Amino acid sequence: MVSGKSAMEVAAYMRRRPFRGDYGPAIANIRPRYTYTFKTEQKKNHCRAVRFKLKIDFTMTLPKARQETVFDRRTLSAWRSLRGFTRRHELVHRKIYLGCAKRLERAVLSLRPRTCGGMGWKIRKLLNAEKKACRARHLAFDRRELRRLTHHRFFELARRQRDQQRASNTRRNAPRQGVARNGRLLFFVSD
């Protein structure tokens, strides 16, 4: 849950309190949990895995605004667009995980050690290697998407609101001509 009544406040909240993602601070995440089962079959000169089943349970976390009901029309539209963007983004990560799982299944089914004794260890080793290769794919995807995210209309709206607020604060706090601050005259007016 993120707090804020405007795009600027929500963006600032997410920046101050990012979601702890798998690869660093994030605004959304999808986490896989792997379980697998297999049977082995010993042939004359090799062992092989049969009926290898890899199951992946996914947990997706998307940003949810605590005060969405007070958003103005423009902010609400941009927020819903951002939620859609993050959902689609995380679904691509899911697709990457599933592609990695298919490669792992093919690798496991092609294993042919002499004996079945260390098959579980070999499968775990393959799983760890595939997770590492998969991580590189996820990071590459995130790098490609970063520009789209930073220029998303929700964050553009947040930056506009921030800039307007700064400009308003600057005008409000600007000293009047010739007014002294801390005992010093800021502007001199010549006749």
Side-chain angles (χ1 to χ4, degrees):
M1 293 287 262
V2 296
S3 292
K5 295 180 181 178
S6 67
M8 178 187 70
E9 291 175 3
V10 170
Y13 183 93
M14 289 192 290
R15 193 174 35 259
R16 283 190 315 270
R17 295 177 185 88
F19 180 75
R20 200 169 139 229
D22 290 339
Y23 309 117
I27 61 172
N29 192 342
I30 187 165
R31 291 179 187 251
R33 200 176 103 244
Y34 300 93
T35 55
Y36 59 88
T37 58
F38 65 95
K39 300 266 187 213
T40 57
E41 181 178 87
Q42 182 69 50
K43 297 285 189 175
K44 259 186 182 181
N45 58 355
H46 70 273
C47 176
R48 69 185 187 115
V50 293
R51 291 185 288 187
F52 177 76
K53 301 261 188 219
L54 177 65
K55 183 180 175 193
I56 308 174
D57 290 318
F58 293 101
T59 303
M60 186 184 300
T61 306
L62 299 174
K64 183 167 174 38
R66 188 171 280 140
Q67 297 154 312
E68 187 174 323
T69 57
V70 300
F71 288 169
D72 63 26
R73 186 178 46 82
R74 184 182 304 149
T75 302
L76 183 60
S77 174
W79 174 253
R80 287 182 176 160
S81 174
L82 178 66
R83 278 194 44 99
F85 175 89
T86 57
R87 180 169 168 54
R88 288 185 300 276
H89 178 90
E90 296 307 325
L91 287 174
V92 171
H93 280 298
R94 182 180 185 276
K95 190 175 178 180
I96 292 170
Y97 280 121
L98 293 174
C100 293
K102 290 235 184 275
R103 281 186 287 283
L104 175 66
E105 286 177 348
R106 284 193 299 269
V108 167
L109 294 175
S110 69
L111 281 175
R112 297 289 186 267
R114 271 196 164 26
T115 64
C116 294
M119 188 63 90
W121 177 82
K122 286 177 176 35
I123 290 173
R124 276 190 303 282
K125 188 175 176 182
L126 279 174
L127 178 63
N128 289 334
E130 190 56 46
K131 280 182 182 179
K132 188 176 181 180
C134 203
R135 177 186 170 135
R137 291 181 185 94
H138 288 291
L139 290 173
F141 172 65
D142 282 339
R143 276 191 299 275
R144 289 190 307 269
E145 288 284 284
L146 183 61
R147 182 167 171 78
R148 288 184 58 214
L149 178 63
T150 56
H151 293 290
H152 188 276
R153 69 184 177 130
F154 181 80
F155 294 114
E156 293 288 340
L157 178 60
R159 282 189 286 276
R160 268 196 313 274
Q161 289 173 353
R162 181 200 62 204
D163 293 344
Q164 287 170 353
Q165 185 181 39
R166 284 181 180 168
S168 173
N169 288 344
T170 302
R171 283 191 301 272
R172 204 173 318 128
N173 295 334
R176 291 190 187 136
Q177 194 169 7
V179 175
R181 268 221 181 137
N182 297 332
R184 291 188 341 238
L185 190 63
L186 298 177
F187 297 101
F188 295 96
V189 181
S190 62
D191 291 329

